[in-house]
Amino acid sequence: MSRSNRKSAGRTGERPPAPEPLNVGVPDSHTHLDIVLSGEWGEDSAGPPAPESAAVTAELDAATATGITRVVQVGVDVGSSRWGADLAAHDPRVVAAVALHPNEAPVLDDLEAALAEIDKMGAEPRVRAFGETGLDSYRTGDEGLAAQEYSFRRHIGMAKAHGKALVIHDREMHEQVLRVLDDEGAPDTVVLHCFSGDADFARECVSRGYHLSYAGNVTFKNAQNLRDAALVTPVEQMLVETDAPFLTPMPYRGRNNAPYLVPITVRYLAELKGVDLDEFCAGLAATGTRVFGEW
């Protein structure tokens, strides 16, 4: 989302303690380190530190120390996409996804120029996906949905043209997202970021060969639909993410999230699915490589 359209990234409380490291490294398949490191977003925000700064390196080091050896940095507008692409070019632990967030498209003065910039960035070798793109009726009213859908269709075309993954933001628009994918023809690799559907929708996505990425909200008490969905998602089509600084897993809900906390969600999902933790991690790592390529 644009800085003008994104709610505050601020959270309360101290930074959660680092969890016990994983024995087998896994990727954080979707994070926003630029927001993690810039704190509150707003008109007066100074923005994130430079990709090569010590603060960025320290955040990645913290993730590495808990077994999060790889990170997918995700853009939501031209500026954040450029920041992520530069970070991926600088640090081998990072690959980038570039896009205009669904809530960004309706508020841009020149949508075509912004899409052209995203397309250009998508050709860079360390950019491995177009996203997050998709549909969101929660923050954008009916008057903005046409621009959202147009932008979504353009991102689908870019992913297919460049042979890269498509990372989808789907908020309360499950049927509409599938309709657009069917209309355009889905790319070879599709990720439903921060999967928000139920078991039936998960089965539909799995049957289409899509990948489902689960965030910390799967641990929330009121998220039985996500747990049901995770149970029917094969590891071969599963990813785990932070969506940092949002969706911090229990017991730290409401505090700032960051990639180093991924092991909490990974352990929760392994226990939920009744699988060996190390084998589960190896599966997640293999899925991450299939989706985003070698780091």
Side-chain angles (χ1 to χ4, degrees):
M1 283 169 273
S2 67
R3 297 189 181 197
S4 62
N5 205 31
R6 181 188 287 274
K7 67 180 180 179
S8 169
R11 293 291 188 272
T12 60
E14 297 179 357
R15 184 177 172 93
E20 181 182 351
L22 298 170
N23 293 324
V24 178
V26 303
D28 179 352
S29 73
H30 190 114
T31 195
H32 303 282
L33 286 173
D34 53 325
I35 311 175
V36 171
L37 294 166
S38 60
E40 300 270 347
W41 275 41
E43 295 302 322
D44 298 326
S45 173
E52 66 274 14
S53 69
V56 179
T57 299
E59 195 64 66
L60 290 168
D61 288 347
T64 301
T66 65
I68 309 310
T69 54
R70 300 174 289 172
V71 170
V72 182
Q73 167 63 25
V74 180
V76 296
D77 56 18
V78 171
S80 62
S81 294
R82 181 69 266 159
W83 189 90
D86 290 345
L87 173 59
H90 171 74
D91 194 303
R93 293 172 289 188
V94 181
V95 294
V98 298
L100 307 178
H101 190 283
N103 291 335
E104 178 77 3
V107 301
L108 286 173
D109 292 331
D110 193 339
L111 177 56
E112 291 298 338
L115 287 167
E117 287 295 316
I118 296 299
D119 190 24
K120 182 178 179 181
M121 278 185 262
E124 297 178 24
R126 297 292 294 173
V127 173
R128 302 294 177 78
F130 287 89
E132 57 186 284
T133 181
L135 299 173
D136 186 329
S137 63
Y138 184 76
R139 295 193 179 281
T140 295
D142 291 343
E143 69 281 358
L145 292 180
Q148 277 194 4
E149 184 168 321
Y150 174 76
S151 179
F152 183 25
R153 290 176 183 271
R154 289 287 302 276
H155 282 79
I156 293 171
M158 293 177 204
K160 292 163 69 174
H162 290 276
K164 297 186 177 181
L166 180 75
V167 176
I168 295 176
H169 171 107
D170 163 27
R171 188 162 188 177
E172 303 177 4
M173 300 287 280
H174 305 328
E175 293 181 5
Q176 295 90 332
V177 163
L178 295 183
R179 171 181 56 81
V180 173
L181 288 169
D182 288 343
D183 286 350
E184 296 293 321
D188 290 340
T189 306
V190 173
V191 178
L192 274 295
H193 132 71
C194 190
F195 186 78
S196 59
D198 58 13
D200 287 342
F201 185 56
R203 290 189 188 95
E204 176 64 26
C205 293
V206 167
S207 72
R208 292 163 172 255
Y210 300 162
H211 298 79
L212 282 54
S213 184
Y214 290 89
N217 55 342
V218 72
T219 70
F220 295 176
K221 183 178 180 180
N222 62 348
Q224 187 59 47
N225 65 309
L226 300 183
R227 291 186 281 277
D228 293 342
L231 286 170
V232 302
T233 304
V235 177
E236 294 78 12
Q237 290 173 256
M238 179 179 278
L239 295 164
V240 177
E241 64 175 86
T242 54
D243 197 22
F246 311 103
L247 301 178
T248 312
M250 296 296 291
Y252 306 111
R253 183 178 183 179
R255 292 163 69 172
N256 280 317
N257 202 3
Y260 76 98
L261 294 173
V262 167
I264 298 174
T265 306
V266 169
R267 286 191 170 92
Y268 184 91
L269 285 167
E271 183 175 352
L272 175 71
K273 292 175 74 68
V275 297
D276 176 79
L277 177 61
D278 288 353
E279 292 180 5
F280 184 54
C281 289
L284 293 174
T287 303
T289 299
R290 285 196 306 275
V291 172
F292 298 108
E294 296 287 348
W295 262 249

